Amino acid sequence: EAGRHKDYGSLTEQLRALTSTHENLRKETGNLVSALRKPQVRGRWGEMQLRRVAELSGMLMHCDFVEQASVEPDSGRLRPDMIVKLPAGREIVVDAKVPLDAYLDAIAAQSDEDRRAKMEKHVQQVRAHINRLASKEYWNQFERSLDFVVLFLPGESFLSTALELDNTLIEDGFQKKVIIATPTTFIALLQTIAYGWRQEQVTRNAIEISRLGKELYDRITKLAEQFHMSLTGMKK
């Protein structure tokens, strides 16, 4: 009986610790949600995720990509979050957007009807980001840019949940020259670009080897001619 009371007391303490941990986790989650509802915090988080994905793909800042580059056309200053450099001097403009307000409201919804209404609002927010980004026409402002812009969403679920209600988002964005990318698809894009850079380097190395080979051949030819002339002079 004494052992049973002891085990029961130990279990009670563990339950209390678990309850305390759960409460602390709930508070921290609430603080995180509150922070992410602030536009400046969301924007900074999206930029950090974008940089993280680029670095994870093996890209180097200032060499393979540039952050916060800006231009000032007549319509006002434009500053995309990232410009990815391509071989042959071309570029891809990337802008990170974090549509979180309606998404967080949908997660916290108590009924299916309310959740669907919030998710429909989330779809509208994603579409609004597409339209806003298309209206900036980055491809006309950055002369070396390709004729499209990448809209980076820092979470897979931000796009997948929106596509469940509206599966035309990707197609509509493509028609407006806006390519929607999540971390997974953006990594694939960057890996493709990195492969292009490796092929570019191989080509440059081959050209340099060819140039050095020709230069070596010319020098050996001149040396042989001079040696032949020296022998001819000695015979005379």
Side-chain angles (χ1 to χ4, degrees):
E1 183 67 14
R4 188 179 68 81
H5 280 291
K6 183 179 180 180
D7 292 340
Y8 181 77
S10 176
L11 178 61
T12 301
E13 288 299 321
Q14 291 180 15
L15 288 175
R16 286 175 181 170
L18 181 61
T19 301
S20 177
T21 301
H22 176 73
E23 183 63 23
N24 291 334
L25 179 62
R26 188 184 66 81
K27 290 180 180 179
E28 292 300 325
T29 302
N31 293 335
L32 177 61
V33 171
S34 299
L36 288 176
R37 287 188 181 278
K38 299 177 181 179
Q40 65 274 19
V41 176
R42 289 203 306 268
R44 184 57 183 159
W45 177 64
E47 293 168 6
M48 290 175 62
Q49 288 291 93
L50 180 60
R51 181 194 303 172
R52 220 167 144 255
V53 168
E55 293 173 345
L56 182 64
S57 302
M59 295 283 176
L60 299 176
M61 191 185 302
H62 307 304
C63 296
D64 302 319
F65 68 92
V66 179
E67 292 183 298
Q68 306 296 330
S70 63
V71 293
E72 295 190 15
D74 296 336
S75 57
R77 188 178 184 184
L78 297 175
R79 188 177 65 179
D81 294 308
M82 181 179 290
I83 293 179
V84 180
K85 298 180 180 179
L86 302 175
R90 302 305 298 272
E91 298 173 341
I92 293 179
V93 179
V94 185
D95 220 20
K97 300 298 180 185
V98 190
L100 262 182
D101 285 335
Y103 180 83
L104 293 175
D105 290 339
I107 293 176
Q110 300 298 319
S111 65
D112 292 340
E113 183 179 353
D114 188 28
R115 184 176 298 106
R116 183 175 180 82
K118 299 300 183 184
M119 279 301 178
E120 289 177 350
K121 186 177 180 181
H122 172 66
V123 173
Q124 294 173 3
Q125 290 181 349
V126 174
R127 188 174 290 280
H129 283 313
I130 294 173
N131 294 334
R132 194 176 302 116
L133 196 54
S135 66
K136 293 181 179 180
E137 297 184 347
Y138 279 123
W139 50 87
N140 289 330
Q141 312 305 330
F142 291 85
E143 59 182 16
R144 292 181 295 175
S145 172
L146 300 182
D147 60 347
F148 64 85
V149 61
V150 174
L151 169 59
F152 177 75
L153 300 179
E156 306 291 335
S157 58
F158 301 155
L159 178 60
S160 61
T161 53
L163 290 176
E164 289 178 3
L165 294 180
D166 187 352
N167 57 10
T168 65
L169 281 173
I170 293 179
E171 182 180 353
D172 291 347
F174 185 77
Q175 291 177 353
K176 296 176 181 179
K177 299 183 179 181
V178 178
I179 307 300
I180 305 176
T182 60
T184 300
T185 54
F186 194 56
I187 286 177
L189 174 63
L190 294 180
Q191 289 286 357
T192 303
I193 294 172
Y195 176 79
W197 272 116
R198 288 194 295 270
Q199 295 300 110
E200 176 81 2
Q201 189 60 46
V202 168
T203 302
R204 290 179 181 177
N205 291 341
I207 294 174
E208 181 65 13
I209 290 173
S210 176
R211 185 188 68 80
L212 292 175
K214 183 178 182 301
E215 182 179 341
L216 179 61
Y217 174 80
D218 292 341
R219 290 184 178 184
I220 292 176
T221 301
K222 290 180 181 179
L223 178 62
E225 291 175 352
Q226 292 177 359
F227 184 71
H228 177 71
M229 291 174 61
S230 298
L231 288 178
T232 303
M234 291 176 63
K235 289 179 179 179
K236 289 180 180 181

